[in-house]
Amino acid sequence: MTTKIEGLLRKRRLMDAIQEMKGYASDYPEVRAAARLEKIEEDYRLMLDFMKRGFKDEKREEMYKGLVHKLYILEMDTVQAEDFRKKALYSEAYAQVSRKQWDYDLIRYSLENFVTEMAMLSLEADDVRLTRERELYQRHAEFMSVLFRKIWLSYQWNEVEADFYESLFLSPTVESRDIQMMVSALTLASIKQFDILKFRTLVRVYQQTVDVHVRQRALVGVAFSINGEADFFGEQKQLILSLLQDDQVCRELLELQMQVVYCLNAENDNRTIQKDIMPSLLKNNSFEITRFGIIEKEDDPMEDILNPGAADQAMEEMEKTVGRMMEMQKAGSDIYFGGFSMMKNFPFFHDVANWLTPFYKENPALNDIVDKLSGTQLMDNIVDNGPFCDSDKYSFSFAMTSVIDHLPKNVKEMLGSAEALGPVMHENEMQTPAYIRRMYLQDLYRFFRLFPRRADLVNPFSREDEYPHKRRCIFFADPLLDDSPITAYVVELGNFLLKHRRMEELDAVISNYDMRSTEKTPEALKKNIPYLLLKAVRNEYLSLGEVACMNYEMILAMEPDNLRALKSLARLKFSFGDFERAATCYEKLIELQPDKRSHELNYSAVLLKLGEIEKAMQLIYKLDYDSPSDVNVQRVKAWGLMAQGKLDQARELYERLRNCGQAQPADSLNAGYCEWIAGDISQAADLFKDYLRLLNREQYNISIDFEHDADFLNQNGIGKTDMALMYDLVNN
């Protein structure tokens, strides 16, 4: 909807919106925009006339909302029509839909008759059954491809259309695979442009279907369609609230949101696999790829003599490497994305519908492959045991047909085993809602990420232009879920996002909620502590350190022994120069965890900042005695020696730190301070330059560090003028 018309309708300025629409309604004859607008205006003028005459109408409010709704739908249809003109992907697909005469009875008949005809094939003679079967599958696949487009590119639905498709999706006489495809098409349509009747259909299908595959696709469709910006009449909120009264639904939505995050991590996981896992696998594998195919390497007869334990060691390394990848998959990672992303160039993937088609070996696109692999168990293995999504199963099948003739016999035999395609998935596990949902999400992610013409799509996995930190797939961040039963799961999701370092998503989710407690008793307020902790972390990420400190102080006021709040507050207060508050935090931490050396080390650093040098050094020497090889202890010790004026000892210690193999940029900065205090200005400047080089941050201003350590430098005779001069020495 255009921003202006939307604003006018929200302000209930219907006549102004009508006049605005008149400016371009005649440009869209394909949706009869001018005629529909004329009827809306005519009905509204009648309403105005009745009101002017003083007539009372109990249905006036309902009629007014109805006219607003009609204008809203008209505007949405013109937006859709504009896309059909400007975006080649949509115009080409819609042209295929327009060439066909559509009738509800015909659609239902085509879907149900396919099931009947397939059942009747058992009566055919063996010599004609395969030919007839392939003819039926070919015809049906072509029909489903166009029907997919029809649903995907449909204009705003009316009640008749919504009721028809709802009954179709819930029909026991329609093939499950066909319903899954249609639900996916409806999901794409709802993502592209919100339609309350499409959304309602997805909700009802999710609630009523007995087919777990259809149910999970509908759930994903509901989640990805949620759009608070489009809840023009409050109907969407009502539908969502009706769903969220069921705790099981809330739990499924939480699991779905977490699974989405694993999809978003696919590229990072692929980098981990390529950098850390694959090199180890390649180093220890016993096959090599040649221009003649894959051949098994010959064992080196001298290896057992020269390195008798090498074979066992290589096997152990490979088992660890494979085990690591399997653990990633078990946790939910999309470990196959990287490999299969290179296998989406087959013509099969030029058709949008094929990306979301459940895998079945009778698919006409696989006929040649099935014939080529006859006599092997590979196709059955892919269907029954393939631990990857449907899109990747198709990719694997197409890829195998080009190499199958070059595989050695033992490899062909291996491919017929259940273990050949990866970790064996138990049949019961593959039928769980979580597994089905994860595989479908991976199909969707591949489509939106890899489809050649994806630029024309509304991608729920990417950031929206208007909201740079918002993704449609992070539906927990939508305002429509605020103040709903789903808020009970926000902390669990927030901790999950924090664990996976998805800070932008954490910000989006936390920004959408606030503490929900009408009670002000200490017990009631304490329930909000986990939320406050997340909020504090989010504020730190946004560089709102002072606000985060307030969050931590609130937590400690309610729960003085909260370790997480104490640690974070101490760290922030130290960075802000509030050393007294940092000291009290570390004292409390030492009391609570007396055996944790890191608290004592941090406390000693705070004491040095407070000028309590001797007290700090007593603690540092104790830590040094207990752990003489701890470089962090040595860093604090070096600063303490410098504060005591023992510059030669400090200089020697900084030299060791800078060459110990665990050096940090700050070691060069502090060594520079030591030389500066000692009067070796040239050496100090060189060390500061080395510090900037190690930081590797363009245009970083070292004056920031000088100002941060100004009190210490002043105590050692270095004033503001000296700092200004040193800045120029370092940078010129």
Side-chain angles (χ1 to χ4, degrees), residues 329-346:
Q329 185 192 35
K330 185 177 179 181
S333 296
D334 186 356
I335 64 173
Y336 296 109
F337 173 78
F340 283 107
S341 65
M342 304 298 178
M343 300 164 60
K344 303 298 181 185
N345 297 321
F346 300 102

Side-chain angles (χ1 to χ4, degrees), residues 355-572:
W355 287 81
L356 302 173
T357 299
F359 185 87
Y360 62 110
K361 65 181 181 180
E362 297 84 5
N363 191 312
L366 301 178
N367 286 346
D368 291 342
I369 300 170
V370 170
D371 292 341
K372 202 166 190 177
L373 298 178
S374 61
T376 74
Q377 295 297 314
L378 183 56
M379 292 304 296
D380 290 331
N381 197 9
I382 293 172
V383 175
D384 297 335
N385 302 298
F388 31 76
C389 64
D390 290 320
S391 173
D392 289 352
K393 288 180 181 180
Y394 282 114
S395 294
F396 184 83
S397 300
F398 295 130
M400 282 306 302
T401 191
S402 62
V403 301
I404 192 71
D405 292 335
H406 303 291
L407 294 177
K409 183 179 179 181
N410 59 338
V411 175
K412 288 182 181 179
E413 292 173 353
M414 178 191 70
L415 289 172
S417 67
E419 294 80 6
L421 302 180
V424 176
M425 305 298 297
H426 193 278
E427 183 179 354
N428 292 338
E429 184 179 358
M430 294 176 74
Q431 294 305 314
T432 61
Y435 181 85
I436 291 168
R437 188 170 57 240
R438 184 174 73 184
M439 294 298 101
Y440 178 54
L441 283 171
Q442 291 180 9
D443 283 326
L444 276 173
Y445 184 76
R446 280 151 178 69
F447 169 61
F448 283 108
R449 180 69 180 79
L450 303 172
F451 181 57
R453 305 170 76 176
R454 58 189 174 276
D456 285 344
L457 300 169
V458 177
N459 184 351
F461 295 100
S462 67
R463 296 178 181 86
E464 297 179 6
D465 293 338
E466 309 95 283
Y467 308 97
H469 298 309
K470 182 177 178 182
R471 303 174 193 263
R472 179 76 65 83
C473 62
I474 306 297
F475 49 89
F476 259 70
D478 195 284
L480 281 185
L481 294 183
D482 181 24
D483 196 19
S484 75
I486 205 77
T487 58
Y489 298 86
V490 168
V491 170
E492 188 174 349
L493 174 62
N495 286 323
F496 174 84
L497 293 170
L498 187 60
K499 176 183 176 182
H500 289 270
R501 299 293 186 265
R502 303 299 308 196
M503 300 306 294
E504 289 184 358
E505 287 76 15
L506 175 64
D507 175 36
V509 170
I510 291 298
S511 297
N512 196 39
Y513 301 91
D514 212 332
M515 291 185 291
R516 305 290 177 190
S517 178
T518 55
E519 298 181 58
K520 300 302 178 184
T521 62
E523 292 76 17
L525 291 172
K526 276 188 176 183
K527 292 180 181 178
N528 288 315
I529 287 177
Y531 171 80
L532 270 175
L533 283 168
L534 282 173
K535 197 169 184 180
V537 172
R538 168 254 192 177
N539 287 328
E540 284 193 67
Y541 167 70
L542 295 175
S543 300
L544 301 173
E546 295 289 356
V547 180
C549 285
M550 292 173 59
N551 298 143
Y552 290 127
E553 294 285 17
M554 287 178 63
I555 293 167
L556 292 172
M558 294 183 282
E559 194 174 88
D561 294 348
N562 190 291
L563 292 171
R564 190 171 170 188
L566 281 167
K567 292 176 187 177
S568 298
L569 183 62
R571 173 175 45 78
L572 285 172

Side-chain angles (χ1 to χ4, degrees), residues 92 137 191 349 372 431 566 590 610 639 656 660:
E92 292 171 11
Y137 273 115
I191 291 172
F349 293 109
K372 202 166 190 177
Q431 294 305 314
L566 281 167
I590 291 171
L610 287 171
W639 186 278
R656 291 206 303 268
C660 71

Side-chain angles (χ1 to χ4, degrees), residues 649-661:
Q649 294 180 49
R651 179 186 286 129
E652 181 182 346
L653 193 47
Y654 278 125
E655 182 68 20
R656 291 206 303 268
L657 284 169
R658 293 178 60 239
N659 294 284
C660 71

